Amino acid sequence: MPIALPRDVTATESADGLVLLDQRNGMYWLLNGTGATTLRLILDGYSPAATAARLARDFPDASERITADVQSLLAALREAGLLEDA
């Protein structure tokens, strides 16, 4: 299922990754480079499994935990109201 940012959430590139601003409450989150890459892949339509596989190619030393890390990031962003089903 496609995932998107809610209408009131904006994403802006930063030197360290990606900043998400929730305009509903003024809160913002900073994703590091890996988190930003993960979110970009998800927003581009990659499934969580395909995203994890792509990251595992770039970070083979972390391949055992990448799937769990992708799921954890998505769960945290959903819980914060920063992602929704498109």
Side-chain angles (χ1 to χ4, degrees):
M1 175 176 296
I3 298 172
L5 296 175
R7 183 182 64 174
D8 296 326
V9 175
T10 58
T12 303
E13 299 289 329
S14 75
D16 299 325
L18 196 63
V19 176
L20 300 176
L21 171 63
D22 186 341
Q23 297 174 40
R24 298 166 291 199
N25 59 22
M27 295 188 69
Y28 67 93
W29 288 260
L30 175 62
L31 300 180
N32 66 17
T34 305
T37 298
T38 300
L39 182 57
R40 283 187 206 102
L41 290 169
I42 292 292
L43 294 175
D44 284 346
Y46 286 80
S47 69
T51 298
R54 177 113 180 240
L55 290 170
R57 288 194 307 264
D58 295 337
F59 303 101
D61 292 342
S63 63
E64 292 181 13
R65 69 173 194 267
I66 286 178
T67 298
D69 288 351
V70 167
Q71 294 293 344
S72 178
L73 175 62
L74 294 178
L77 292 174
R78 280 186 185 279
E79 185 175 323
L82 300 173
L83 289 179
E84 63 185 16
D85 294 329

